[in-house]
Amino acid sequence: RTSLNQVGIRFTSQSSAMGAKASTQASDGKVFTLEKLAQFDGTTMPSYIAILGKVYDVSESSNFQAGGGYGDLWAGCDCTYALASLSLDKDDANRLDWEMSQFSEQQLKALAAWKSYFDQKYEVVGVLAEYEGRDIELPEIATAAQVQLPGISGGDGIAAGKTPPAKVRPCAPVVGEAPRVERL
């Protein structure tokens, strides 16, 4: 497994009002475009998703298998906007027409929690070229410890870095519903 220090987004010394700007330089050379990422939808290639410019291998998760669920929704896509807005609308995958400054404090906290969750659970396999030069640093208010993800950190401890109990699978958030886990 490649560590996050070996593959990731490097931040340049350029600063904006919100933070550093991304430079898509993966130390192992794996730079994806949205077009290339789309090939990794779990049908003939592994399932990959991108969040804040990092590309994660989610192939091991039953939630991201081709043919249903989140695999059909997000596999092979950038999910940043959808996760920040807790949207299950297919049109919110691969949206790049946003800036950090337009997200509410709660959306930034949700995005930070999702990023932390994916950083801890899945291998980073590259970076997304479309994030080159984008301001993607989360502000200090958006720390994962300050937010509970509906269906993810509702008592199972995943956002805090703990392993969920066996026979329980976290369910992705659904806007307007209380946190939940699926009992297996």
Side-chain angles (χ1 to χ4, degrees):
R1 188 171 255 231
T2 306
S3 75
L4 295 178
N5 292 335
Q6 293 170 315
V7 176
I9 295 176
R10 293 190 173 94
F11 293 97
T12 66
S13 60
Q14 300 172 352
S15 294
S16 66
M18 182 87 59
K21 293 192 178 199
S23 173
T24 52
Q25 300 172 10
S27 61
D28 68 349
K30 291 185 183 176
V31 177
F32 295 83
T33 61
L34 285 175
E35 182 179 346
K36 180 71 173 172
L37 181 62
Q39 297 173 14
F40 292 86
D41 64 358
T43 54
T44 59
M45 303 285 274
S47 292
Y48 291 176
I49 67 165
I51 302 168
L52 287 172
K54 287 185 180 180
V55 179
Y56 299 87
D57 182 346
V58 295
S59 301
E60 294 178 10
S61 173
S62 60
N63 291 324
F64 289 99
Q65 299 304 308
Y70 304 112
D72 281 349
L73 186 62
W74 293 328
C77 296
D78 177 74
C79 304
T80 305
Y81 183 86
L83 292 174
S85 59
L86 300 178
S87 171
L88 295 176
D89 185 345
K90 181 94 171 139
D91 292 337
D92 286 335
N94 288 334
R95 274 191 67 177
L96 297 174
D97 61 341
W98 55 268
E99 293 181 14
M100 285 291 195
S101 61
Q102 80 184 58
F103 291 132
S104 70
E105 182 176 332
Q106 193 61 28
Q107 288 172 319
L108 290 169
K109 287 179 181 180
L111 184 56
W114 278 119
K115 182 184 175 305
S116 175
Y117 173 77
F118 279 89
D119 280 346
Q120 292 172 30
K121 187 165 175 105
Y122 300 106
E123 178 182 1
V124 175
V125 294
V127 295
L128 200 56
E130 285 81 359
Y131 277 76
E132 177 74 36
R134 287 194 74 157
D135 180 5
I136 59 169
E137 186 173 321
L138 291 162
E140 287 186 33
I141 61 162
T143 61
Q146 296 176 328
V147 68
Q148 287 194 353
L149 294 172
I152 296 295
S153 56
D156 62 15
I158 292 174
K162 299 177 185 168
T163 304
K167 307 281 186 195
V168 174
R169 177 175 49 212
C171 299
V174 177
V175 176
E177 286 188 13
R180 60 193 174 91
V181 293
E182 179 181 328
R183 306 272 178 222
L184 303 175

